[in-house]
Structures are given as C-alpha cells and as structure tokens.
Amino acid sequence: MGIYQEIDGFFNPESIAVIGASATPGKIGYAVLKNLLEFYEAGGKLYPINPTRDEILGLKCYKSILNVPGSVDMAVIVVRSKMVPQIIDQCGKKGVKNIVIISGGFKELGGKFRDLEAEALEVARKYGIRIIGPNCIGVYDPRTKVDTFFQPKERMLRPKPGNVAFLTQSGTYGIILLEWSAMDELGISKFVSYGNKMDVDEADILMYLKDEPYTEVVGIYLEGLGDGRKFFQAAREFTKKKPLIILRGGWSEAARRAALSHTGFLGGKGRIYEAAFKQAGVIIARTLEELYDMVKALARQKYAKGPRVAMISNGAGPMVQAVDAVSVEGLKLAELESSTKEELRKNLSPFTIVENPVDLTGSATPEDYKVAMDILLDDPNVDMLFVFFVHQNAPMDKSIIDVMREINKKARDLGKTVLAGAAGGPYTQSLNKEMEKAGIPTYPIPERLVRAAKALYLWGKNVSGES
Amino acid sequence: MGIYQEIDGFFNPESIAVIGASATPGKIGYAVLKNLLEFYEAGGKLYPINPTRDEILGLKCYKSILNVPGSVDMAVIVVRSKMVPQIIDQCGKKGVKNIVIISGGFKELGGKFRDLEAEALEVARKYGIRIIGPNCIGVYDPRTKVDTFFQPKERMLRPKPGNVAFLTQSGTYGIILLEWSAMDELGISKFVSYGNKMDVDEADILMYLKDEPYTEVVGIYLEGLGDGRKFFQAAREFTKKKPLIILRGGWSEAARRAALSHTGFLGGKGRIYEAAFKQAGVIIARTLEELYDMVKALARQKYAKGPRVAMISNGAGPMVQAVDAVSVEGLKLAELESSTKEELRKNLSPFTIVENPVDLTGSATPEDYKVAMDILLDDPNVDMLFVFFVHQNAPMDKSIIDVMREINKKARDLGKTVLAGAAGGPYTQSLNKEMEKAGIPTYPIPERLVRAAKALYLWGKNVSGES
C-alpha cells in the first residue's frame, strides 16, 4: 500500500473504535467518543471499547476490540501508555490499519518510557499499522466528520470544509488555529496533531497532502525534526505544487530543552534550519498568528504577481505603519501613473490625499472607496491593493461588503491581489467576517497584513519560477 | 490658568456646543451630537449650532454660538476648515475656553491650507482658548460622558471608567484601542485623539495626566514630534510618577512622507528617537497590539520586581515559544528550588513534567493548576508566573476563574506578577474576559504575553530606581 492510501486511511475510515471510551463527562475517553457521534450519525460505524461498560452514549460497548463484530478500520487509543503495546497487538489481530494514540506518557517523559514507544512501534510494524501520535489530539476532517479531539464542541469551534491543511506537533496550537479558522470562515481540508510522531511524521503527511485534491495550502507548527533529510525532500517536492508555511518553536537553547519534554524532540538550531527551509521553498512564519495569517492569505488570494502595493483608507494611521512594514519586508509602494492621480483627483473630494497611500479621510463613503479602488486597480504599476477600513465611522455602511466583492472580482480578473485591514469590536468583527466570506483576507493590524502579503509575494515568485 | 486646569476643561465642561451639528444620520455633525446625548442626560448642557435648523435630536438648535443663552465651556467644531477661524472668534466672544476641531482640511493637505491653521491659532490665543485637533476624533471621558466621536455607539464600543489614558495622533488607532479595552473590560481614565495638534500636544496632556488622579498608565501612538525638547522634558517628568508606553509610526522614509500627509508631521528618524525615548524612561512598543498589551499589563499588574519567570500549562506548545521569547527579551527562566520540584512531584500526577516550564498535560484539572501554582509562587526564585490554558480541554472547567482569582491575590501579597495566555473561539474568549475582570492580563499568543511582561519588568526597574 502506498503512502497516499496509508495516510488517507486516517481521514476516510468506515469504522472507528475508541479504546478507553469512558461514560464519565469530563474524561478524555468520553469527550473523544462524543465528538465522533457526528461521524456515526453520518453513517460511520463507531465502537466504544471499555471492559466495564455495556453501553456508552447510546452505543453498544465492547470489552475488547476483538469482540467487535465485523471489521474496524481505525482505532483511537486513550488508555494509559503502559497498556498501549498490547492494545496495538489486539488492533493488529483485528485488521486495524490506522491508529491515533491520544494518550501521553511516552518519550516526552524522558528515558523511563522511551522503550514503550519502540515496543509499540515494533508491534505496529508487524501488522502494517500506521500510527499518529502519541501525546496529541489526533485528526480532524470536516468532510468525513472524523474528529478525534478531546475538546468538547461547545468549547471548541470546528471549521467548515475548505482548502487548508494544518499539521502541528502541539495540540494546543492546533486547537487555536482551528478556532481562528472557524471564526474567519476559513475552511479546512485536513488537520493532524501528531505529538511525539512515533511513526507518521510531517514528511509522510506532506507526501499525502501534495496529491490530496482538497488541500491547496499547508501550515505546520514544528518543534523538532526527526529525520531531517526525509523532511526536506518531502518539503521540496511539496512546494513544487503547493505553498507550505512553517512556524518553528524551540530554537532557543532553553526552549530546546522545553521542547524535549513536550514532544520528546530537540528543537532545531535557528539559522541552519532557516536556510534549509528556504531552500526547500518553505515560507517561514515567526509567530502562531503569522502562520495563520499567511495561510489564510494563500488560501484566499493564491499569490501576488509582484511586490508593488497601493494602499487606501478612510483613516490614515494604519497606512503610516503599513508603509513602514512594506519597507521592512521588501515589498514596494507602487508609483502611480500620473493619469491615475488625475482620475482620483477628478473623481474624489478635494480633501482626499491623492498619493499612494490614498487617504479618503473620515468623511469617505463606500461609494468613494469604490471609485478610488477601481482607478487604483487599473494602474499597471499596482500588483496588490491593501484596503484599510474604519467601519466605525458614521459615513460608512454595510454596502462596503458588496463593493469589496466587486473589487475582488475585478482584481482577480486582472491577476491582482486584495487584502484588507480593520479592527475593533463586534460591529467591525462582523464586517470582517463578511469580508472573509467574500474571499478577502482581513487583518487587525497593518504589520500582520503586510507579512501575509509578503507570503503571497514569495509564493508568486515560486509560481512564476522566479525564485 | 495652569496647564492642569486648561486641559482638564476638555474633560469636565458643564456645557458643550456642537458647531456644525446636522440632522442627517450618517453625517459627522449628526453622529457627534448624538454621542453627546449621554453627557446631556447626565446633566450637562448641550447646544447644537446650525443656522438652518430649529431643533436636532430633540434639542433646541441655535444659528450661532452667540445666540446660546448662558455660558458655553467647550465647543466641538465639525464645519469646513475655511470657516474655522471665524467660528473660533465667535467662541472666544462667547467665553469658550476649550475647543475640539474634528474637521480636516488643514496642514495635512500641504501648503495650501497651512495658513488656515496659523490663523485659527492666532484667534484662539487672543482669547486664551486651548484647542485639540484639527483632523481628529477628539476626547472621551467615561466618567463625565464627554464623547466627541463621530463613530456611532452601535458601531464602536465605549470602555468603562478605569486607570488607563490613551493619546493618539491617529483617530483610527484610538478607536481600535478603545474597542479592545471595552472587550477586555479594561477601564479608561481619559482619551485624546489630537490629529494635527495645532495647539495642545502630547507634552501638554502628559503634564496634565501626571497629576490627574484616575490615570495610572498612559499609552501614546505618535507619528511626529513638533517640539521635541518640550516633549522629552514632559516625558521625563511623567515617567518619574507613572509608566508611559509609546508606539511610533512613520519612521521609514516612505512612511515619513505618508505621515506628513496624514497629520502634517514628519515622522521622526528611527534610532535617534529610540535612544531619546529610552532615556526619558519611555517603554517602546513596536505594534498597536503591543502598545495595547503593555498598557493592559501595567494597568492590571503594576510592575514586576524581577525578570525570573515560572511557566505552567496544560498544553506545552505555547510554553516552548514563550521560552524562546523570554530568551530574546532578556527575561529569565527561574531556577526552581529543589524543594519546589519535590513538592510538585509529590502533589501532582506522575505524567506531569516537573521542570520549569511545568507541563500539567492535557489531563489537568483546575485543581491541578491550583496545587502547582501555589507551590511555584512560594519559590523565592520566581518573580513572575506565566499561566497558559487550553480551556477547551475536557478536564478543565470554569472553576479555573476562582482558582486564578485566589492565585492572583496570593501573588499580589507576595509582590509577584501573574499573566495568562489562552486563545480560541467564543468559549475561551469568555473565560479570557473573566480572567481580565479578575485582574489578570491575558494574551492570545506567547510572544505577546512575554513582551507585555517585559514592560512590567522595565517599569519595575524604574520603580526600584534600578534603571
């Protein structure tokens, strides 16, 4: 069986057993089973395994996976670590091909449990089983409803189906990325939290996602690489087809030690890895927000064909800082054609600042934006348009969403890129969400917008074969 | 009249005239008047001035401020710039002492309107009037309900009374800071957006806030300094008493030009200003989020007595990155006493990682946190406690808020500092808000938490006379 089928098994099982399922709310084994009820309701087979129960959450419970009638494709294991090797052996006998181990208590505790991981892996290899984890929150696929999380749905939003895959060594960061995605209406193709990655690693998943049809962009949070050579080869192949953004944790000496006790991996040394990542076509993020911001930009706007930026706002503060950031990040302020400036002057209020950046001032209406953006997009020197909003201003209103939908379409037709900036309370957040739904990635502060735009520019160079 | 009384007049008028009040929703002159209705309802006198109307929003409207019966303390001007000098003259005749000019159309448009500002100022000086603006959103005081914004309340949250003052050259940034404050339950003492600052500048307001009893910390967004010597002198005096955080925009060459057309000021050159700020005891923020984060930390936790940090979490990812950030920012991971580690081992599950950072793992309950934090706070090598949460995990629950309230009290009694980290969707956001209400500043990503902690450390050095 090829790697594609092996990894795909985690997202497309027909039947799942939860080994260590619990009937007690608040327990991990209860939460995992409960979150899989949607998989069950969608027609999947779901088997709680617990020797002390006959039924959990309305499902028949089995003493052992060996007692389940019919076949089981995948198992989610939430029992104590010391029991795991024998559980895997039972899974092997049952014909299970994919296992997610949620439980901790392995390599991350240092030497005393290290043998346990090797032992478990040896059993798995015997049966040709692939394992994700241990010490993780596992996998999520919004299309097939596979959801191995122990985070109840009322506490953690799940995003809808889409084109983004996130891989993460840290379950915590995975949870945050998914909830941010859900709030922004950013859709997910596949999600994997792989923790100690005793078997399946980033390289395996990348080779799968490279060909997985829904996935168009991948973001990874990484603490340490096991087999570096394998990873960089996979990354190189992946980035020939799709963009890959990586955030690395644990590069400081102290953090390297912390990472060791988190997922059992030594974080990599800073500069050496950075160069290797870049050579492999990887775009590097510096914080979790930046990883998310860049992935969102690439998911919505694909790439930028050049570095030349025009900016517009009804409140200039953010543009002053965006100009600073543009100069730091190696993007450029577009030099507008004199005909563009003339058009702007002719069609806008005399109080408008007709330079790049264009300041419509606080009296601007959605119609003023429309007129100005139309003119700016027609300028051949503009590759990207950064649109900042003070939605709170009295002369603005919700019709700006329709305006932006049109502008985004026009930009797309011209091969140009649009990003938006706006921040504030519930009113602005609701408009930002509408903007996201219209396909325009939106950011609270200009520095975050500019870094996301840089990812679009870097990927654009890759697409055009320039880099 | 001293500077204190002059500036205080903007926040404590008994009567306000809105010159250029409009009866048309969506117009700036309508929004300003409407937002002042709360001032009126609280007992203040409010006079719309508009020669074409008899009544607006149920208030009697006057043709000119000179027609208002009785005295007027403050005027808010929203008429076209060219009319402003004559309006100020009328205000002077009426005995007005404080004017906020919201209107743009002055220095920010370049030479052609520069004389208008000088002309207006000359008139104001004649009458001893102080002016905030032009080209700004003016002032806000949640205690007296003075609110000159043209952002309707249903679009822009107003924060409650508190101990933070924000000053900003950019109205947009001011709006964002206030809405973030409102969402975090961070209270405001005074707010000033001063735009082109043709008269009142940051130095004037700082000299006022230094003695203003509600204000305990000040954050400023600044594009350019007019009178640098005056500013640095005011800053030095201010920081002898209270912490001051500054974000500067417009330091790149391109942004310096953009700032010029925003508020008519050339942004300062980077390094020279940075050194001068530091010498004046100012803490420098690099982004708007950081300005906000640092101010919030200082508003809630006052200062840190040292750089030594202990960390704890039920999901280690953020701690790995926090350790990186701590090493970058010149803070230190506390070396725990061996008795501390022993206590932790004795009282916590064998799966806990008993090092600094302490990893309680995903099975941790609020009680586990309590036990561990109690022990950590008792360690004499710990100055600050960073507490990260995955509230989404099944074994957690809302009782963590009570735990944190107790821990925060204990920390305060010991002269120690507590900051929290958590991110996610609505559930986590609601717990973060509770955490904020309990006095614990909370941040979505570790880098932001660590930078905020650094501000506490820097101010602590100032408090102890060490810096």
Side-chain angles (χ1 to χ4, degrees), chain B residues 381-398:
Chain B
N381 305 309
V382 172
D383 301 313
M384 287 194 255
L385 187 59
F386 295 174
V387 191
F388 297 92
F389 301 101
V390 188
H391 291 304
Q392 296 94 332
N393 284 354
M396 291 293 288
D397 63 53
K398 290 185 182 175

Side-chain angles (χ1 to χ4, degrees), chain A residues 84-389:
Chain A
V84 166
Q86 83 191 65
I87 294 285
I88 295 177
D89 191 62
Q90 291 170 8
C91 288
K93 290 197 173 105
K94 188 67 187 169
V96 169
K97 289 296 168 211
N98 295 85
I99 293 179
V100 175
I101 307 176
I102 305 296
S103 324
F106 292 86
K107 189 160 62 173
E108 77 278 12
L109 293 183
K112 75 180 150 157
F113 290 99
R114 193 177 292 264
D115 290 340
L116 208 49
E117 240 174 70
E119 200 186 318
L121 190 57
E122 198 186 321
V123 181
R125 289 270 154 81
K126 196 170 75 183
Y127 294 105
I129 295 171
R130 299 306 309 259
I131 296 177
I132 284 175
N135 187 25
C136 71
I137 63 169
V139 300
Y140 174 67
D141 184 325
R143 289 185 178 84
T144 63
K145 310 293 181 195
V146 174
D147 178 338
T148 70
F149 301 159
F150 60 91
Q151 288 72 31
K153 284 175 185 166
E154 64 274 19
R155 294 189 186 180
M156 177 190 167
L157 302 174
R158 266 60 167 181
K160 60 176 192 175
N163 62 352
V164 169
F166 284 118
L167 316 182
T168 171
Q169 210 152 351
S170 158
T172 305
Y173 272 5
I175 292 166
I176 298 172
L177 290 168
L178 290 178
E179 287 207 84
W180 286 346
S181 300
M183 289 190 291
D184 274 349
E185 303 271 338
L186 184 68
I188 295 295
S189 58
K190 311 286 168 189
F191 171 91
V192 184
S193 148
Y194 51 83
N196 294 11
K197 52 178 174 179
M198 73 185 235
D199 175 29
V200 170
D201 63 15
E202 306 86 355
D204 295 326
I205 309 171
L206 278 179
M207 293 313 288
Y208 165 69
L209 293 175
K210 173 170 69 69
D211 300 319
E212 198 277 329
Y214 292 116
T215 303
E216 292 179 359
V217 48
V218 173
I220 306 185
Y221 169 71
L222 190 70
E223 281 173 8
L225 288 173
D227 184 343
R229 185 187 299 264
K230 180 182 169 197
F231 174 79
F232 285 112
Q233 193 180 324
R236 261 193 307 276
E237 281 194 46
F238 185 87
T239 60
K240 280 180 197 152
K241 290 184 72 174
K242 303 174 184 180
L244 174 60
I245 326 290
I246 292 186
L247 169 65
R248 257 163 6 87
W251 48 263
S252 68
E253 205 41 56
R256 278 159 55 85
R257 287 195 300 273
L260 186 63
S261 67
H262 177 208
T263 50
F265 282 84
L266 260 182
K269 294 226 172 185
R271 284 169 198 288
I272 301 168
Y273 274 104
E274 199 161 307
F277 279 127
K278 282 188 180 160
Q279 219 173 356
V282 170
I283 298 169
I284 299 172
R286 298 169 308 188
T287 67
L288 189 71
E289 285 177 336
E290 195 165 294
L291 175 68
Y292 176 74
D293 291 344
M294 287 176 160
V295 164
K296 187 168 80 174
L298 286 154
R300 298 231 193 272
Q301 292 280 322
K302 311 306 172 198
Y303 65 90
K305 66 174 181 180
R308 298 167 306 170
V309 173
M311 298 188 202
I312 184 166
S313 182
N314 61 338
M319 295 199 296
V320 170
Q321 296 230 286
V323 170
D324 284 338
V326 156
S327 85
V328 168
E329 300 298 346
L331 303 177
K332 291 188 187 109
L333 268 191
E335 299 276 353
L336 301 181
E337 299 280 321
S338 58
S339 60
T340 302
K341 292 188 201 175
E342 216 165 289
E343 280 296 301
L344 288 169
R345 243 186 299 271
K346 210 160 56 187
N347 288 283
L348 293 166
S349 129
F351 293 95
T352 307
I353 314 287
V354 176
E355 279 299 329
N356 185 18
V358 177
D359 183 359
L360 295 171
T361 80
S363 57
T365 63
E367 181 60 22
D368 295 330
Y369 267 99
K370 183 174 172 347
V371 168
M373 290 188 295
D374 252 332
I375 296 167
L376 287 172
L377 278 180
D378 284 331
D379 191 305
N381 305 310
V382 172
D383 301 313
M384 288 193 256
L385 187 60
F386 295 176
V387 192
F388 297 92
F389 302 101

Side-chain angles (χ1 to χ4, degrees), chain B residues 211-233:
Chain B
D211 300 319
E212 198 277 328
Y214 291 117
T215 302
E216 292 180 358
V217 49
V218 172
I220 306 184
Y221 169 72
L222 191 69
E223 280 172 10
L225 288 172
D227 184 344
R229 186 188 298 264
K230 180 183 171 197
F231 174 80
F232 285 112
Q233 194 180 323

Side-chain angles (χ1 to χ4, degrees), chain B residues 10-70:
Chain B
F10 287 101
F11 304 105
N12 287 295
E14 286 180 13
S15 47
I16 301 176
V18 178
I19 303 178
S22 162
T24 312
K27 290 283 181 192
I28 287 175
Y30 176 87
V32 169
L33 187 70
K34 194 166 180 210
N35 286 332
L36 280 166
L37 286 179
E38 260 188 78
F39 167 79
Y40 174 74
E41 282 152 17
K45 295 195 179 77
L46 182 59
Y47 306 111
I49 312 294
N50 177 331
T52 70
R53 292 274 165 180
D54 294 327
E55 193 192 290
I56 304 177
L57 284 165
L59 298 167
K60 184 167 165 46
C61 186
Y62 298 88
K63 291 203 186 320
S64 149
I65 192 170
L66 293 168
N67 298 112
V68 173

Side-chain angles (χ1 to χ4, degrees), chain B residues 181-232:
Chain B
S181 299
M183 289 190 290
D184 274 349
E185 302 270 338
L186 184 68
I188 295 296
S189 58
K190 310 285 168 190
F191 171 90
V192 185
S193 147
Y194 50 83
N196 294 11
K197 53 179 174 179
M198 74 184 234
D199 176 29
V200 171
D201 62 13
E202 306 87 355
D204 295 326
I205 309 171
L206 278 180
M207 293 313 288
Y208 166 69
L209 294 175
K210 174 169 69 70
D211 300 319
E212 198 277 328
Y214 291 117
T215 302
E216 292 180 358
V217 49
V218 172
I220 306 184
Y221 169 72
L222 191 69
E223 280 172 10
L225 288 172
D227 184 344
R229 186 188 298 264
K230 180 183 171 197
F231 174 80
F232 285 112

